[in-house]
Amino acid sequence: MEQNNDGSLAQVQHIVLVLSGKGGVGKSTITCELALALRHAGKKVGILDVDLCGPSIPRMLSVGRPDVHQCDTGWVPVYADAEKNLALMSIGFLLDDPDEAVVWRGPKKTAMIGQFVSDVAWGELDVLLVDTPPGTSDEHLAILENIKKHKQVDGAVLVTTPQAVSTGDVRREVTFCKKTGVRVLGIIENMSGFVCPHCSECSNIFSKGGGEELAKLTGSVFLGAVPLDPKLSTCIEEGIDFLKSFPDSATFSAISSITQTLLSSLQAA
C-alpha cells in the first residue's frame, strides 16, 4: 500500500498498538502507564484512544472533557501536562454527554477511526500508543488500514492476565497480528499477583506465569509482569501519576523495565 507521508502522522517516529484478546485485562491502564513512563524517560508521547465504546483514558489521565479545537492541519490533541509532552485524542472528548452510549454500526465506527488517524495534528512525537478495543474486529482492521495509508505500524504490545481463559484469547490476538503483518513487540502479564497495601507482599490470587508461558508458546518476547497494586488502582481512579508518586514500589520497577525493553526494541527496528 502506498503511504502518504504528508498527513498528521508524518512527524510520529513510532506507532505501537496496545491489544488484548478480551476486555477487563487492564489494557487502558497499561497504555496510560507506558505513556507516563515514556514521558518520564524524556519522550514525547501520544495516546490515540480508539476504544469507541469505552473511552476511559481521559479519566485515567485526569484531563476532564475539554473542547477539541481545530487548526489548519486538523484536530488539536488534548495535552495531559503543561509541557505538552503527553498528547491525547479520544471519542470521550466528542460526546455531548459522558453517560451517552456509542451505539454505532460498523461503517460509522470505521469513518470515525479514519478521522482519528488522518485528522489529528499530533506534531512531533517519539511514540504514539493506540489503545484499541478488545478482540479482533472491524475496528482493528480499520485502524491498521488507515494507519498504513500514512505510516508503517512498528508493532503491537499484547496485554493478558495470568489465567488460561485470558491467555487463550490473547493467543488468537497473536494469530491476528501474524495474519495482518503486525510485529508482536511483546506480551505483558497484567494483574500478576496482588500487592498487599500493608506489608507489600505479593500473593498470586489470579495464578501466575500465564503470560510468560504464552510468550514461549508463540515465540514472542515476554516484556514483563505487572502486579495488581491497590496504589496503582487508586491513582488510575483519581488521575494521579503513579510513577511519580510511588517510585520505590515494585510496580514502578516492573513498568519501568517493560518500558525500557519496549524502547530498545523500537530503536533497534
Side-chain angles (χ1 to χ4, degrees), residues 3-183:
Q3 295 176 353
N4 173 16
N5 293 320
D6 297 327
S8 63
L9 299 175
Q11 294 177 285
V12 177
Q13 297 301 310
H14 300 289
I15 300 175
V16 176
L17 307 181
V18 183
L19 305 174
S20 67
K22 64 189 297 101
V25 300
K27 173 180 50 58
S28 295
T29 297
I30 292 294
T31 301
C32 280
E33 295 310 310
L34 286 176
L36 290 167
L38 287 165
R39 188 190 69 177
H40 288 308
K43 305 300 180 184
K44 296 193 73 169
V45 192
I47 300 177
L48 178 57
D49 180 9
V50 288
D51 191 349
L52 300 181
C53 295
S56 52
I57 300 274
R59 174 173 177 171
M60 291 179 173
L61 291 176
S62 192
V63 295
R65 298 182 62 251
D67 293 330
V68 173
H69 301 285
Q70 287 200 324
C71 63
D72 292 342
T73 52
W75 288 334
V76 179
V78 173
Y79 291 95
D81 60 339
E83 299 78 19
K84 296 190 175 182
N85 288 327
L86 179 50
L88 169 64
M89 181 53 69
S90 170
I91 185 68
F93 299 142
L94 305 179
L95 299 176
D96 293 330
D97 181 354
D99 296 326
E100 182 182 345
V102 179
V103 187
W104 292 351
R105 295 188 184 276
K108 190 169 183 179
K109 287 183 178 180
T110 300
M112 176 55 73
I113 288 169
Q115 276 194 282
F116 270 177
V117 171
S118 301
D119 296 347
V120 179
W122 294 108
E124 293 185 11
L125 290 181
D126 294 300
V127 182
L128 175 64
L129 299 172
V130 183
D131 186 35
T132 66
T136 55
S137 60
D138 282 352
E139 287 104 309
H140 299 80
L141 293 173
I143 292 163
L144 283 173
E145 288 169 1
N146 280 283
I147 290 176
K148 287 179 178 180
K149 292 176 185 176
H150 304 274
K151 212 169 189 70
Q152 193 63 35
V153 175
D154 288 77
V157 169
L158 278 54
V159 182
T160 186
T161 52
Q163 309 97 308
V165 69
S166 177
T167 57
D169 288 335
V170 175
R171 187 182 291 112
R172 288 185 281 276
E173 202 80 42
V174 174
T175 304
F176 169 82
C177 289
K178 289 179 178 177
K179 285 184 176 180
T180 54
V182 175
R183 174 187 171 207

Side-chain angles (χ1 to χ4, degrees), residues 189-239:
E189 181 176 303
N190 194 29
M191 306 183 197
S192 182
F194 171 76
V195 177
C196 176
H198 304 294
C199 67
S200 296
E201 182 179 341
C202 193
S203 304
N204 297 323
I205 59 173
F206 287 148
S207 77
K208 188 176 178 67
E212 188 169 10
E213 184 63 26
L214 176 61
K216 291 176 182 176
L217 287 172
T218 59
S220 307
V221 174
F222 181 62
L223 290 171
V226 179
L228 188 62
D229 188 332
K231 293 188 178 77
L232 174 57
S233 301
T234 300
C235 287
I236 285 292
E237 284 290 321
E238 297 178 1

